[in-house]
Amino acid sequence: MTWQEWIAQARLFHAANLLAEGQRVTDVAAGVGYASLSAFAKAFTNLMGMSPVRFRNL
């Protein structure tokens, strides 16, 4: 794993923690550094196997 991949993964795991607290997906995406909600949703889904909204609602 490259350091860029490691950082991206760390950002998404942090995002998962924020979503588990019930924060809004839009706020989480911006908070972990994504300028685009769609880019965040795609990256999150690829890593976690489900959309950020579905993850938050679990």
Side-chain angles (χ1 to χ4, degrees), residues 5-40:
E5 292 169 334
W6 186 89
I7 290 171
Q9 185 174 332
R11 289 168 59 200
L12 291 169
F13 282 133
H14 180 60
N17 287 328
L18 298 174
L19 290 169
E21 293 173 359
Q23 293 190 30
R24 291 175 11 148
V25 174
T26 305
D27 296 336
V28 171
V32 298
Y34 281 85
S36 161
L37 182 58
S38 62
F40 170 71

Side-chain angles (χ1 to χ4, degrees), residues 18-26 44 50-58:
L18 298 174
L19 290 169
E21 293 173 359
Q23 293 190 30
R24 291 175 11 148
V25 174
T26 305
F44 189 92
M50 65 181 74
S51 72
V53 172
R54 185 169 174 216
F55 184 89
R56 187 192 63 199
N57 291 334
L58 287 178

